Amino acid sequence: MSNPAISNSWQQVLSAEFEQPYFQKLQNFISTERQTQTIFPSDADVFSAFELTPYENVKVLILGQDPYHDDNQAHGLCFSVKPGIKTPPSLVNIYKELHTDIGFNIPKHGYLVNWAEQGILMLNAVLTVRSHTPNSHKDKGWETFTDAVISQVSEKTDSVIFVLWGAYAQKKLKLIDTTKHLVIQSAHPSPLSARNGFFGSKPFSAINTALKSFGQPVINWQLPDL
């Protein structure tokens, strides 16, 4: 199995992972699944977070868990959906917090590519899912791969902001060098937990304050209309 089509800077950083037996096994599993099942996102979109945010550009890492599993939603960025698709509940809550935190105007779409292009690595812990079957590709090897991604981002000499929403993401804290990087943690923005500490946590202004202190350009959170 050849290495995934992934941007050059990530190819260099992750080349050792692509050679590992677990990764070959994972790729074989996914190609078999695609022969008999509908798998999201499409093959072309699995690594789009890496294409949109090259390694050297990563300023912020937002960690999600599992891709969206309904038709036409997932396109390789956590929390983001394709244009024309209804904004999912967790992203609705992210938008509400953006509005109260920084006066963000809530768009009529959930397409977050603009953030990725500004240096936010929008990483899910698992990069594929069987249609309408959440967590169906859990424990198949993706977590080993994305843990390696988090560790490699932690190796960067520039300070990076890691955003860990919810207990699942917070388990990854051990992979991050907190003497060098900033970690922002709160409850998950899902409807089940947003009222238990996500709302009012002001992560977006905190990210920009930190970027300023690192001497880096801030994120323009406002999403353009499509």
Side-chain angles (χ1 to χ4, degrees):
M1 188 89 187
S2 61
N3 287 2
I6 191 170
S7 68
N8 278 344
S9 60
W10 284 110
Q11 195 74 255
Q12 288 167 356
V13 169
L14 297 171
S15 59
E17 293 306 305
F18 298 142
E19 304 306 321
Q20 298 281 343
Y22 87 84
F23 195 83
Q24 306 295 322
K25 196 172 154 195
L26 168 66
Q27 295 299 292
N28 292 339
F29 163 75
I30 290 162
S31 74
T32 306
E33 280 276 281
R34 285 196 189 277
Q35 288 162 27
T36 56
Q37 306 287 336
T38 302
I39 303 302
F40 299 133
S42 72
D43 204 23
D45 281 341
V46 170
F47 293 101
S48 62
F50 302 91
E51 292 298 317
L52 289 161
T53 316
Y55 181 71
E56 64 275 12
N57 293 0
V58 178
K59 304 193 294 192
V60 179
L61 186 156
I62 296 179
L63 185 67
Q65 190 165 351
D66 201 44
Y68 295 122
H69 55 84
D70 282 341
D71 297 335
N72 296 318
Q73 288 182 306
H75 65 102
L77 302 186
C78 67
F79 296 107
S80 181
V81 287
K82 290 182 183 177
I85 299 298
K86 185 172 186 266
T87 305
S90 289
L91 185 54
V92 167
N93 287 339
I94 288 170
Y95 285 173
K96 283 179 184 166
E97 180 61 18
L98 271 159
H99 179 70
T100 54
D101 185 4
I102 59 164
F104 173 88
N105 294 319
I106 294 175
K108 294 184 168 63
H109 66 84
Y111 190 57
L112 306 181
V113 163
N114 182 265
W115 293 354
E117 290 171 341
Q118 294 182 70
I120 303 181
L121 182 65
M122 314 227 19
L123 181 71
N124 275 316
V126 174
L127 299 190
T128 53
V129 70
R130 199 183 271 194
S131 66
H132 316 300
T133 318
N135 289 314
S136 45
H137 287 181
K138 182 174 174 280
D139 299 330
K140 301 293 184 188
W142 278 129
E143 296 91 340
T144 307
F145 175 72
T146 55
D147 280 2
V149 171
I150 295 165
S151 298
Q152 287 292 348
V153 173
S154 181
E155 293 287 313
K156 280 176 68 104
T157 45
D158 295 339
S159 296
V160 175
I161 301 152
F162 291 81
V163 180
L164 307 179
W165 287 327
Y168 181 88
Q170 285 156 20
K171 288 187 187 129
K172 309 295 183 181
L173 189 60
K174 64 182 184 294
L175 303 171
I176 301 163
D177 180 351
T178 54
T179 63
K180 184 167 52 170
H181 305 296
L182 177 69
V183 178
I184 292 176
Q185 304 185 66
S186 76
H188 194 277
S190 84
L192 298 172
S193 54
R195 295 190 188 286
N196 298 329
F198 176 72
F199 288 138
S201 63
K202 297 187 160 45
F204 308 102
S205 57
I207 288 167
N208 279 351
T209 300
L211 287 170
K212 267 186 208 156
S213 77
F214 300 157
Q216 300 225 31
V218 299
I219 304 295
N220 174 9
W221 294 103
Q222 190 57 57
L223 291 161
D225 291 329
L226 296 180

